[in-house]
Amino acid sequence: MDKFIFRKRNALSSGLCDSLIEFYEESSDKKSNPRDYTMLQLLLTNFPDIFNPLSNCLSVYKEQHSFLENLFHEWGWSNEFFLQKYEVGQYYKGEHMEHGAYEYDCRRILAWMVYLNDCSGGTFFPQQRFTTKPKKGDLYIWPAGWTHSHHGLPSKQEKYILTGWCEMYKVT
């Protein structure tokens, strides 16, 4: 069964993952989130080393699910993404989806995540009975809607991830 969850091993190089963790640790712009993590809010256009591999993987995802091209005409990467850090034992506890009713999330089609380090705490998709295995550089892409609700799992190590979305572009 195709779970519509795409994984690309080593989508980002080990060196790039290490440099993103270092960038995070050196940043003074970190924000605490009430969901038990800290994060940086960043723009994808400022990180071509991330954007290019993501785009290659999205092309593969679109080839595997060609109906997406005809279903949504004006869509692609959301420029905003997050670099997140979870301390030992922290995780995103609430089951949720990435598509919602707010201006910022109502146009989301796909979600993506990259693990920046190996750790024990993955992401669980209950309806697919699937748990990610966090490996440095691995990218996951999945539908943003209710069919792919998910939640984090606690880790015995610090966990660093990138998260972002693909969305329909606003028609003006």
Side-chain angles (χ1 to χ4, degrees):
M1 176 178 92
D2 184 350
K3 296 176 179 12
F4 296 95
I5 300 173
F6 173 86
R7 180 183 66 189
K8 171 66 174 160
R9 292 188 184 273
N10 301 309
L12 299 185
S13 71
S14 178
L16 178 56
C17 292
D18 291 343
S19 68
L20 288 165
I21 290 171
E22 184 178 333
F23 174 80
Y24 179 88
E25 291 299 337
E26 292 175 358
S27 175
S28 59
D29 294 330
K30 296 185 262 304
K31 297 177 183 158
S32 291
N33 187 292
R35 293 186 182 102
D36 222 10
Y37 60 88
T38 55
M39 66 179 197
L40 291 174
Q41 189 171 349
L42 304 168
L43 298 177
L44 203 49
T45 49
N46 293 337
F47 292 86
D49 290 348
I50 298 170
F51 180 79
N52 293 333
L54 288 177
S55 293
N56 292 338
C57 291
L58 182 59
S59 294
V60 174
Y61 192 90
K62 286 179 177 180
E63 286 174 18
Q64 292 174 350
H65 309 290
S66 58
F67 67 92
L68 288 171
E69 281 298 335
N70 298 323
L71 191 59
F72 304 109
H73 296 289
E74 297 293 325
W75 70 281
W77 299 108
S78 169
N79 195 30
E80 178 182 82
F81 75 101
F82 299 132
L83 196 169
Q84 300 172 332
K85 178 184 181 181
Y86 294 85
E87 298 290 344
V88 173
Q90 292 180 330
Y91 61 104
Y92 197 116
K93 295 171 181 69
E95 184 176 345
H96 65 286
M97 64 182 184
E98 301 298 327
H99 182 268
Y102 297 102
E103 176 71 23
Y104 71 89
D105 65 1
C106 68
R107 295 185 310 270
R108 291 178 181 168
I109 299 169
L110 300 172
W112 61 269
M113 172 177 59
V114 177
Y115 289 102
L116 299 179
N117 65 315
D118 295 343
C119 64
S120 59
T123 301
F124 179 58
F125 294 82
Q127 296 172 85
Q128 287 71 30
R129 296 184 191 100
F130 175 74
T131 302
T132 64
K133 294 181 180 13
K135 297 291 180 198
K136 181 190 254 187
D138 284 5
L139 163 74
Y140 289 86
I141 301 174
W142 67 90
W146 67 269
T147 59
H148 285 74
S149 63
H150 55 283
H151 61 84
L153 299 171
S155 176
K156 295 176 184 170
Q157 302 83 19
E158 294 175 329
K159 176 168 57 174
Y160 294 88
I161 60 172
L162 303 178
T163 60
W165 307 272
C166 292
E167 63 184 23
M168 291 180 277
Y169 295 134
K170 190 174 183 178
V171 178
T172 56

